[in-house]
PDB file of all heavy atoms in Angstrom:
ATOM      1  N   ALA A 934      26.109  34.978   1.163  1.00 93.00           N
ATOM      2  CA  ALA A 934      25.945  34.046   0.052  1.00 93.00           C
ATOM      3  C   ALA A 934      26.629  34.517  -1.218  1.00 93.00           C
ATOM      4  O   ALA A 934      26.448  33.926  -2.298  1.00 93.00           O
ATOM      5  CB  ALA A 934      24.493  33.792  -0.229  1.00 93.00           C
ATOM      6  N   ILE A 935      27.400  35.587  -1.134  1.00 95.00           N
ATOM      7  CA  ILE A 935      28.054  36.160  -2.305  1.00 95.00           C
ATOM      8  C   ILE A 935      28.840  35.131  -3.130  1.00 95.00           C
ATOM      9  O   ILE A 935      28.753  35.174  -4.396  1.00 95.00           O
ATOM     10  CB  ILE A 935      28.980  37.319  -1.908  1.00 95.00           C
ATOM     11  CG1 ILE A 935      28.173  38.519  -1.368  1.00 95.00           C
ATOM     12  CG2 ILE A 935      29.856  37.772  -3.080  1.00 95.00           C
ATOM     13  CD1 ILE A 935      27.282  39.154  -2.401  1.00 95.00           C
ATOM     14  N   PRO A 936      29.591  34.187  -2.573  1.00 94.00           N
ATOM     15  CA  PRO A 936      30.303  33.218  -3.414  1.00 94.00           C
ATOM     16  C   PRO A 936      29.355  32.410  -4.328  1.00 94.00           C
ATOM     17  O   PRO A 936      29.689  32.063  -5.456  1.00 94.00           O
ATOM     18  CB  PRO A 936      30.965  32.284  -2.407  1.00 94.00           C
ATOM     19  CG  PRO A 936      31.226  33.181  -1.224  1.00 94.00           C
ATOM     20  CD  PRO A 936      29.992  34.093  -1.152  1.00 94.00           C
ATOM     21  N   ASN A 937      28.139  32.137  -3.841  1.00 93.00           N
ATOM     22  CA  ASN A 937      27.138  31.464  -4.628  1.00 93.00           C
ATOM     23  C   ASN A 937      26.720  32.382  -5.763  1.00 93.00           C
ATOM     24  O   ASN A 937      26.576  31.944  -6.940  1.00 93.00           O
ATOM     25  CB  ASN A 937      25.917  31.153  -3.757  1.00 93.00           C
ATOM     26  CG  ASN A 937      24.808  30.418  -4.466  1.00 93.00           C
ATOM     27  OD1 ASN A 937      24.834  29.216  -4.573  1.00 93.00           O
ATOM     28  ND2 ASN A 937      23.847  31.149  -5.008  1.00 93.00           N
ATOM     29  N   ASP A 938      26.531  33.655  -5.501  1.00 96.00           N
ATOM     30  CA  ASP A 938      26.103  34.622  -6.509  1.00 96.00           C
ATOM     31  C   ASP A 938      27.178  34.839  -7.561  1.00 96.00           C
ATOM     32  O   ASP A 938      26.896  35.117  -8.710  1.00 96.00           O
ATOM     33  CB  ASP A 938      25.756  35.954  -5.865  1.00 96.00           C
ATOM     34  CG  ASP A 938      24.674  35.838  -4.797  1.00 96.00           C
ATOM     35  OD1 ASP A 938      23.768  34.975  -4.989  1.00 96.00           O
ATOM     36  OD2 ASP A 938      24.706  36.541  -3.774  1.00 96.00           O
ATOM     37  N   ILE A 939      28.421  34.744  -7.154  1.00 96.00           N
ATOM     38  CA  ILE A 939      29.541  34.887  -8.120  1.00 96.00           C
ATOM     39  C   ILE A 939      29.464  33.820  -9.197  1.00 96.00           C
ATOM     40  O   ILE A 939      29.712  34.067 -10.362  1.00 96.00           O
ATOM     41  CB  ILE A 939      30.907  34.845  -7.370  1.00 96.00           C
ATOM     42  CG1 ILE A 939      31.076  36.086  -6.503  1.00 96.00           C
ATOM     43  CG2 ILE A 939      32.060  34.748  -8.369  1.00 96.00           C
ATOM     44  CD1 ILE A 939      32.284  36.043  -5.595  1.00 96.00           C
ATOM     45  N   THR A 940      29.114  32.610  -8.750  1.00 95.00           N
ATOM     46  CA  THR A 940      28.981  31.500  -9.699  1.00 95.00           C
ATOM     47  C   THR A 940      27.892  31.801 -10.737  1.00 95.00           C
ATOM     48  O   THR A 940      28.107  31.616 -11.952  1.00 95.00           O
ATOM     49  CB  THR A 940      28.601  30.191  -8.969  1.00 95.00           C
ATOM     50  OG1 THR A 940      29.525  29.982  -7.898  1.00 95.00           O
ATOM     51  CG2 THR A 940      28.624  28.981  -9.902  1.00 95.00           C
ATOM     52  N   VAL A 941      26.773  32.295 -10.279  1.00 97.00           N
ATOM     53  CA  VAL A 941      25.636  32.656 -11.155  1.00 97.00           C
ATOM     54  C   VAL A 941      26.039  33.787 -12.077  1.00 97.00           C
ATOM     55  O   VAL A 941      25.757  33.788 -13.271  1.00 97.00           O
ATOM     56  CB  VAL A 941      24.406  33.027 -10.346  1.00 97.00           C
ATOM     57  CG1 VAL A 941      23.253  33.461 -11.282  1.00 97.00           C
ATOM     58  CG2 VAL A 941      23.930  31.851  -9.488  1.00 97.00           C
ATOM     59  N   TYR A 942      26.759  34.768 -11.529  1.00 98.00           N
ATOM     60  CA  TYR A 942      27.208  35.942 -12.291  1.00 98.00           C
ATOM     61  C   TYR A 942      28.017  35.532 -13.504  1.00 98.00           C
ATOM     62  O   TYR A 942      27.772  35.943 -14.616  1.00 98.00           O
ATOM     63  CB  TYR A 942      28.025  36.846 -11.356  1.00 98.00           C
ATOM     64  CG  TYR A 942      28.704  37.991 -12.086  1.00 98.00           C
ATOM     65  CD1 TYR A 942      28.106  39.225 -12.269  1.00 98.00           C
ATOM     66  CD2 TYR A 942      30.009  37.840 -12.584  1.00 98.00           C
ATOM     67  CE1 TYR A 942      28.724  40.270 -12.902  1.00 98.00           C
ATOM     68  CE2 TYR A 942      30.673  38.872 -13.244  1.00 98.00           C
ATOM     69  CZ  TYR A 942      30.033  40.076 -13.388  1.00 98.00           C
ATOM     70  OH  TYR A 942      30.655  41.094 -14.059  1.00 98.00           O
ATOM     71  N   PHE A 943      29.007  34.662 -13.250  1.00 98.00           N
ATOM     72  CA  PHE A 943      29.879  34.243 -14.370  1.00 98.00           C
ATOM     73  C   PHE A 943      29.118  33.358 -15.369  1.00 98.00           C
ATOM     74  O   PHE A 943      29.367  33.421 -16.583  1.00 98.00           O
ATOM     75  CB  PHE A 943      31.102  33.477 -13.848  1.00 98.00           C
ATOM     76  CG  PHE A 943      32.180  34.379 -13.336  1.00 98.00           C
ATOM     77  CD1 PHE A 943      32.529  34.461 -12.022  1.00 98.00           C
ATOM     78  CD2 PHE A 943      32.933  35.169 -14.243  1.00 98.00           C
ATOM     79  CE1 PHE A 943      33.524  35.292 -11.577  1.00 98.00           C
ATOM     80  CE2 PHE A 943      33.959  36.014 -13.820  1.00 98.00           C
ATOM     81  CZ  PHE A 943      34.235  36.104 -12.436  1.00 98.00           C
ATOM     82  N   GLY A 944      28.185  32.542 -14.882  1.00 98.00           N
ATOM     83  CA  GLY A 944      27.389  31.743 -15.792  1.00 98.00           C
ATOM     84  C   GLY A 944      26.546  32.594 -16.742  1.00 98.00           C
ATOM     85  O   GLY A 944      26.471  32.355 -17.945  1.00 98.00           O
ATOM     86  N   LEU A 945      25.907  33.621 -16.167  1.00 98.00           N
ATOM     87  CA  LEU A 945      25.059  34.506 -16.981  1.00 98.00           C
ATOM     88  C   LEU A 945      25.878  35.403 -17.877  1.00 98.00           C
ATOM     89  O   LEU A 945      25.462  35.732 -18.993  1.00 98.00           O
ATOM     90  CB  LEU A 945      24.164  35.336 -16.076  1.00 98.00           C
ATOM     91  CG  LEU A 945      23.107  34.533 -15.271  1.00 98.00           C
ATOM     92  CD1 LEU A 945      22.334  35.463 -14.348  1.00 98.00           C
ATOM     93  CD2 LEU A 945      22.165  33.839 -16.203  1.00 98.00           C
TER      94      LEU A 945
END
Side-chain angles (χ1 to χ4, degrees):
I935 292 295
N937 182 86
D938 302 326
I939 291 172
T940 308
V941 177
Y942 172 90
F943 279 111
L945 293 177

